[in-house]
């Protein structure tokens, strides 16, 4: 079976991310979810990090500066 890697960009949209996760986390076709955060405000980034810390499918990256994703 083929698997998918999803890449999702984010900026201050933690709730929208959580909705996206709910739809794909249990899908066996999805092998990884890569989140690239465009320097969200600290409160949003911390919510995302906290949610993802026990989900090995999710890989998190944050830009050092807001690049305008």
């Amino acid at each position: 079976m083929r698997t998918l890697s999803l890449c999702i960009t984010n900026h201050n949209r933690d709730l929208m991310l959580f909705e996206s996760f709910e739809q794909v986390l249990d899908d066996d076709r999805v092998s990884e979810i890569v989140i690239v955060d465009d320097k969200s405000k600290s409160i949003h980034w911390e919510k995302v990090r906290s949610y993802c810390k026990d989900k090995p499918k999710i890989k998190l990256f944050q830009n050092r500066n807001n690049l305008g994703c």
Side-chain angles (χ1 to χ4, degrees):
M1 173 170 53
R2 293 183 180 183
T3 60
L4 300 170
S5 294
L6 299 178
C7 182
I8 303 172
T9 58
N10 179 58
H11 181 71
N12 295 333
R13 297 283 186 214
D14 48 305
L15 295 178
M16 187 184 333
L17 274 180
F18 300 151
E19 290 175 12
S20 299
F21 294 155
E22 295 297 321
Q23 296 176 18
V24 297
L25 268 176
D26 294 329
D27 191 329
D28 291 336
R29 296 172 297 173
V30 177
S31 62
E32 69 178 349
I33 302 168
V34 178
I35 306 299
V36 180
D37 183 80
D38 197 20
K39 195 62 177 165
S40 290
K41 294 179 182 175
S42 293
I43 191 165
H44 296 285
W45 177 241
E46 289 306 317
K47 286 181 188 177
V48 171
R49 285 183 57 195
S50 177
Y51 179 88
C52 296
K53 71 180 176 185
D54 62 343
K55 295 172 178 56
K57 257 189 190 182
I58 301 175
K59 316 272 188 291
L60 293 175
F61 300 92
Q62 187 181 46
N63 295 337
R64 289 183 184 158
N65 300 309
N66 181 293
L67 301 175
C69 91

